[in-house]
Amino acid sequence: EDQVTQSPEALRLQEGESSSLNCSYTVSGLRGLFWYRQDPGKGPEFLFTLYSAGEEKEKERLKATLTKKESFLHITAPKPEDSATYLCAVRSTDSWGKFQFGAGTQVVVTP
Amino acid sequence: DTGVSQNPRHKITKRGQNVTFRCDPISEHNRLYWYRQTLGQGPEFLTYFQNEAQLEKSRLLSDRFSAERPKGSFSTLEIQRTEQGDSAMYLCASSLNLAGGYFGPGTRLTVT
């Protein structure tokens, strides 16, 4: 069965202190890795899709990268408004339909 | 494009009652997904549709849960004989084929 593990569970950063979140996955065949941001009490907000190892995507202070076993979400010079839970999900060849989510990394950025 | 909408946003019900939630996807999206999320956890897959066909259901989904997507447009999720363990945020998402899914704001269910 597909598995997605995110680390760390929680991360506290000072404003401007860059860091990376990890998403490790085990799938039979990857058909997409997806990053989302979720604010408390709201639905996840789509950020990126990555399909193949070596691929990178950027949006403002966020950059996502993908290898054959894991993905990283790099947060460069974070601001307090980057505080959120970041979720990683995979779609695999075992189940073309569903997104299998990890538990998320809760990020708090303090001024 | 108004995004994915869900109604109601909040529902409080007594144990044993039936509840129904509605999801309106992004209009051109052919896939629709239902997820459930509890505090501190990632979303848990329930079921998904491609157009009007329900293609996959979670093995964890009891027969008290049923979903429909008539005519491939909006979808409803019904929970019969609710239990306290059903309390959660119910999320709907839609996508165009295998692209990333766009989520709605969710329906928070509280079973008392």
Side-chain angles (χ1 to χ4, degrees):
Chain A
E1 178 150 335
D2 303 337
Q3 292 214 346
V4 181
T5 304
Q6 291 190 246
S7 62
E9 291 183 9
L11 190 59
R12 193 172 186 89
L13 301 171
Q14 288 275 87
E15 184 172 3
E17 178 188 0
S18 301
S19 189
S20 294
L21 315 181
N22 178 265
C23 171
S24 297
Y25 61 90
T26 304
V27 296
S28 55
L30 184 68
R31 287 295 177 262
L33 185 140
F34 308 86
W35 281 99
Y36 289 84
R37 168 196 170 119
Q38 187 172 29
D39 293 305
K42 297 189 176 181
E45 174 191 347
F46 174 71
L47 294 173
F48 304 111
T49 305
L50 302 165
Y51 287 106
S52 55
E55 192 174 356
E56 299 182 350
K57 294 276 179 72
E58 284 189 70
K59 179 180 180 179
E60 297 180 357
R61 294 175 294 282
L62 301 177
K63 179 179 177 180
T65 62
L66 181 65
T67 73
K68 288 187 177 179
K69 294 293 183 186
E70 57 192 350
S71 177
F72 293 92
L73 184 67
H74 309 276
I75 310 178
T76 302
K79 298 183 177 182
E81 53 262 43
D82 294 322
S83 298
T85 295
Y86 291 87
L87 295 162
C88 166
V90 298
R91 179 186 274 134
S92 78
T93 53
D94 274 351
S95 175
W96 284 84
K98 72 179 184 182
F99 302 91
Q100 179 73 37
F101 279 88
T105 294
Q106 184 178 25
V107 174
V108 174
V109 183
T110 56
Chain B
D1 177 2
T2 57
V4 178
S5 62
Q6 293 186 245
N7 288 288
R9 295 292 310 278
H10 304 275
K11 179 71 177 179
I12 300 174
T13 191
K14 293 185 177 180
R15 185 167 51 93
Q17 297 295 305
N18 299 344
V19 294
T20 300
F21 309 141
R22 176 178 171 127
C23 172
D24 288 89
I26 294 172
S27 58
E28 65 268 26
H29 285 182
N30 57 347
R31 289 190 167 212
L32 186 147
Y33 313 81
W34 285 100
Y35 280 79
R36 176 172 65 188
Q37 188 176 29
T38 53
L39 199 62
Q41 299 299 313
E44 174 191 13
F45 172 75
L46 295 178
T47 188
Y48 93 94
F49 293 82
Q50 179 159 308
N51 300 312
E52 67 274 12
Q54 187 174 21
L55 295 187
E56 187 174 350
K57 287 175 64 173
S58 168
R59 291 190 297 271
L60 302 175
L61 202 63
S62 80
D63 56 8
R64 297 185 297 107
F65 288 71
S66 62
E68 294 183 340
R69 191 183 183 197
K71 302 179 183 178
S73 55
F74 71 92
S75 176
T76 57
L77 177 70
E78 181 182 19
I79 308 174
Q80 296 183 326
R81 305 181 302 281
T82 52
E83 302 172 356
Q84 287 192 316
D86 297 331
S87 295
M89 176 77 89
Y90 289 82
L91 295 164
C92 175
S94 69
S95 73
L96 182 61
N97 298 320
L98 296 178
Y102 289 82
F103 280 81
T107 295
R108 169 129 352 246
L109 173 66
T110 302
V111 181
T112 62

